[in-house]
Amino acid sequence: ILSYHKAEKLIEKEHPYHFLVHTVLGEIYNDVDQLSDSVRSYELALIGMSKLDGKDVPKFYTNLIVVYNMLGISYINR
């Protein structure tokens, strides 16, 4: 399993859509019951999404729903 810190090295370059990587990592960590890494990835995805230009937000609406849904489930399960 790829640790969180090793995964971070994969996305060191600042890219406007890097939040997609964090979203996928959050899903993977959630699937393997690494909830703290999952929550951390989802929170980083939210930070990345908050930096989007307003015209790009509708393109990634489904990703935003996934992140909020999974964060809610994770917080409830804690």
Side-chain angles (χ1 to χ4, degrees):
I1 296 174
L2 187 64
S3 74
Y4 179 79
H5 298 292
K6 289 179 184 176
E8 276 294 302
K9 290 182 180 183
L10 294 174
I11 53 175
E12 283 180 358
K13 294 180 181 177
E14 192 61 33
H15 188 278
Y17 301 138
H18 73 280
F19 63 87
L20 293 172
V21 175
H22 290 296
T23 303
V24 172
L25 284 174
E27 291 176 0
I28 292 169
Y29 287 136
N30 189 55
D31 288 345
V32 295
D33 292 328
Q34 292 183 352
L35 297 181
S36 61
D37 289 333
S38 175
V39 167
R40 192 173 314 133
S41 289
Y42 287 133
E43 288 173 347
L44 289 171
L46 279 179
I47 291 168
M49 287 181 197
S50 70
K51 296 176 183 176
L52 279 177
D53 186 15
K55 66 180 179 172
D56 289 335
V57 172
K59 296 177 192 174
F60 301 104
Y61 184 69
T62 55
N63 298 92
L64 185 62
I65 291 171
V66 166
V67 170
Y68 274 123
N69 185 40
M70 295 309 294
L71 277 174
I73 291 170
S74 297
Y75 290 143
I76 288 172
N77 288 334
R78 283 185 173 185

